[in-house]
Coordinates of all heavy atoms in Angstrom, one line a residue:
V1 N -102.8 58.7 179.9 CA -102.1 57.7 180.7 C -101.3 56.9 179.8 O -100.1 56.5 180.1 CB -103.1 56.9 181.6 CG1 -102.4 55.7 182.3 CG2 -103.8 57.8 182.7
D2 N -101.9 56.5 178.7 CA -101.1 55.6 177.8 C -100.0 56.4 177.2 O -98.9 55.8 177.0 CB -102.1 55.2 176.6 CG -103.2 54.3 177.0 OD1 -103.0 53.6 178.1 OD2 -104.2 54.2 176.4
L3 N -100.2 57.6 176.9 CA -99.0 58.5 176.4 C -98.0 58.6 177.5 O -96.7 58.5 177.1 CB -99.6 59.8 176.0 CG -98.6 60.8 175.4 CD1 -97.9 60.2 174.2 CD2 -99.2 62.2 175.1
V4 N -98.3 58.9 178.7 CA -97.3 59.0 179.8 C -96.6 57.6 179.9 O -95.3 57.6 180.2 CB -98.0 59.4 181.1 CG1 -97.1 59.2 182.2 CG2 -98.6 60.8 181.0
Q5 N -97.4 56.6 179.8 CA -96.7 55.3 180.0 C -95.7 55.1 178.8 O -94.6 54.5 179.1 CB -97.7 54.2 179.8 CG -97.2 52.8 180.0 CD -96.8 52.6 181.5 OE1 -97.4 53.2 182.4 NE2 -95.7 51.7 181.7
H6 N -96.0 55.6 177.6 CA -95.1 55.5 176.5 C -93.8 56.4 176.7 O -92.7 56.0 176.5 CB -95.8 55.9 175.2 CG -95.0 55.9 174.0 ND1 -94.4 54.7 173.4 CD2 -94.4 56.9 173.2 CE1 -93.7 54.9 172.4 NE2 -93.6 56.2 172.2
I7 N -94.2 57.6 177.2 CA -93.0 58.5 177.5 C -92.1 57.9 178.6 O -90.8 58.0 178.4 CB -93.5 59.9 178.0 CG1 -94.3 60.6 176.8 CG2 -92.4 60.7 178.5 CD1 -95.0 61.9 177.2
S8 N -92.7 57.3 179.5 CA -92.0 56.6 180.6 C -91.1 55.5 180.0 O -89.9 55.3 180.4 CB -92.9 56.1 181.7 OG -92.2 55.4 182.7
S9 N -91.6 54.7 179.1 CA -90.8 53.8 178.4 C -89.7 54.4 177.6 O -88.5 53.9 177.7 CB -91.6 52.9 177.5 OG -92.7 52.3 178.2
V10 N -90.0 55.5 176.9 CA -88.9 56.1 176.1 C -87.8 56.6 177.1 O -86.6 56.5 176.8 CB -89.5 57.3 175.3 CG1 -88.4 58.1 174.6 CG2 -90.4 56.7 174.2
I11 N -88.2 57.3 178.1 CA -87.2 57.8 179.1 C -86.4 56.7 179.7 O -85.2 56.8 179.9 CB -87.9 58.6 180.2 CG1 -88.6 59.9 179.6 CG2 -87.0 59.0 181.3 CD1 -89.4 60.6 180.6
S12 N -87.0 55.6 180.0 CA -86.3 54.4 180.5 C -85.3 54.0 179.5 O -84.0 53.6 179.8 CB -87.2 53.3 180.8 OG -88.1 53.7 181.8
G13 N -85.6 54.0 178.2 CA -84.7 53.6 177.1 C -83.6 54.5 177.0 O -82.3 54.2 176.9
I14 N -83.9 55.9 177.1 CA -82.8 57.0 177.1 C -81.9 56.7 178.2 O -80.6 56.9 178.1 CB -83.5 58.3 177.1 CG1 -84.3 58.5 175.7 CG2 -82.4 59.3 177.2 CD1 -85.0 59.8 175.7
G15 N -82.4 56.4 179.4 CA -81.6 56.3 180.6 C -80.7 55.1 180.4 O -79.5 55.2 180.8
S16 N -81.1 54.0 179.9 CA -80.3 52.9 179.6 C -79.2 53.1 178.6 O -78.1 52.8 178.9 CB -81.3 51.7 179.1 OG -80.4 50.6 178.9
I17 N -79.6 53.9 177.6 CA -78.6 54.3 176.5 C -77.5 55.1 177.1 O -76.3 55.1 176.9 CB -79.3 54.9 175.3 CG1 -80.1 53.9 174.6 CG2 -78.2 55.5 174.4 CD1 -81.0 54.5 173.5
S18 N -78.0 56.1 178.0 CA -77.1 57.1 178.6 C -76.1 56.3 179.6 O -74.9 56.6 179.6 CB -77.9 58.1 179.5 OG -77.1 58.9 180.2
M19 N -76.6 55.3 180.3 CA -75.7 54.6 181.2 C -74.7 53.7 180.3 O -73.5 53.7 180.7 CB -76.6 53.5 182.0 CG -77.4 54.2 183.1 SD -78.3 52.9 184.1 CE -76.9 52.1 184.8
Q20 N -75.1 53.1 179.2 CA -74.2 52.5 178.3 C -73.2 53.5 177.8 O -72.0 53.1 177.6 CB -75.0 51.8 177.3 CG -75.8 50.5 177.7 CD -76.6 50.0 176.6 OE1 -76.5 50.3 175.5 NE2 -77.4 48.9 177.0
T21 N -73.6 54.6 177.4 CA -72.7 55.7 176.8 C -71.7 56.1 177.9 O -70.5 56.3 177.5 CB -73.6 56.8 176.3 OG1 -74.5 56.5 175.4 CG2 -72.6 57.9 175.7
N22 N -72.2 56.2 179.1 CA -71.3 56.6 180.2 C -70.2 55.5 180.3 O -69.0 55.8 180.6 CB -72.1 56.8 181.4 CG -71.2 57.4 182.6 OD1 -70.2 58.2 182.3 ND2 -71.6 57.2 183.7
L23 N -70.6 54.3 180.2 CA -69.6 53.2 180.4 C -68.7 53.2 179.3 O -67.4 53.1 179.5 CB -70.3 51.8 180.4 CG -71.0 51.5 181.7 CD1 -71.9 50.2 181.7 CD2 -70.2 51.5 183.0
L24 N -69.2 53.4 178.1 CA -68.2 53.5 176.9 C -67.3 54.7 177.0 O -66.1 54.6 176.6 CB -69.2 53.6 175.5 CG -69.9 52.4 175.2 CD1 -70.8 52.7 174.1 CD2 -69.0 51.3 174.9
A25 N -67.8 55.8 177.5 CA -66.9 57.0 177.6 C -65.9 56.7 178.7 O -64.7 57.2 178.5 CB -67.8 58.2 178.0
L26 N -66.3 56.1 179.8 CA -65.3 55.7 180.7 C -64.2 54.8 180.2 O -63.0 55.0 180.5 CB -66.0 55.0 182.0 CG -65.1 54.6 183.2 CD1 -64.5 55.9 183.7 CD2 -66.0 53.9 184.2
N27 N -64.6 53.8 179.5 CA -63.7 52.9 178.8 C -62.7 53.6 177.8 O -61.6 53.4 177.8 CB -64.4 51.7 178.2 CG -65.1 50.8 179.1 OD1 -64.6 50.6 180.3 ND2 -66.2 50.2 178.7
A28 N -63.4 54.6 177.1 CA -62.6 55.4 176.1 C -61.6 56.2 176.9 O -60.5 56.4 176.4 CB -63.6 56.3 175.3
S29 N -62.0 56.7 178.0 CA -60.9 57.6 178.8 C -59.8 56.7 179.3 O -58.6 57.2 179.3 CB -61.7 58.2 180.0 OG -62.7 59.1 179.6
V30 N -60.2 55.5 179.7 CA -59.1 54.6 180.1 C -58.1 54.2 178.9 O -56.9 54.3 179.1 CB -59.7 53.3 180.7 CG1 -58.6 52.3 181.1 CG2 -60.5 53.6 182.0
E31 N -58.8 53.9 177.9 CA -57.8 53.6 176.7 C -57.1 54.8 176.2 O -56.0 54.7 175.8 CB -58.8 53.1 175.6 CG -59.4 51.8 175.8 CD -58.3 50.7 176.0 OE1 -57.3 50.7 175.4 OE2 -58.7 49.7 176.8
A32 N -57.7 56.1 176.2 CA -57.0 57.2 175.9 C -55.8 57.5 176.8 O -54.7 57.9 176.4 CB -58.0 58.4 175.9

């Protein structure tokens, strides 16, 4: 359960980074 909780935290972090990356990619497309 502790491990799953840790994985869940990691996945949440990855999701957050992915969303930020998506916004950066969108901004990059606009600038391009």
Side-chain angles (χ1 to χ4, degrees):
V1 169
D2 292 339
L3 181 59
V4 169
Q5 185 68 33
H6 179 68
I7 292 172
S8 179
S9 298
V10 172
I11 291 173
S12 296
I14 294 172
S16 178
I17 293 171
S18 177
M19 287 182 64
Q20 291 177 3
T21 302
N22 189 27
L23 288 175
L24 288 173
L26 182 60
N27 291 330
S29 296
V30 173
E31 291 298 329

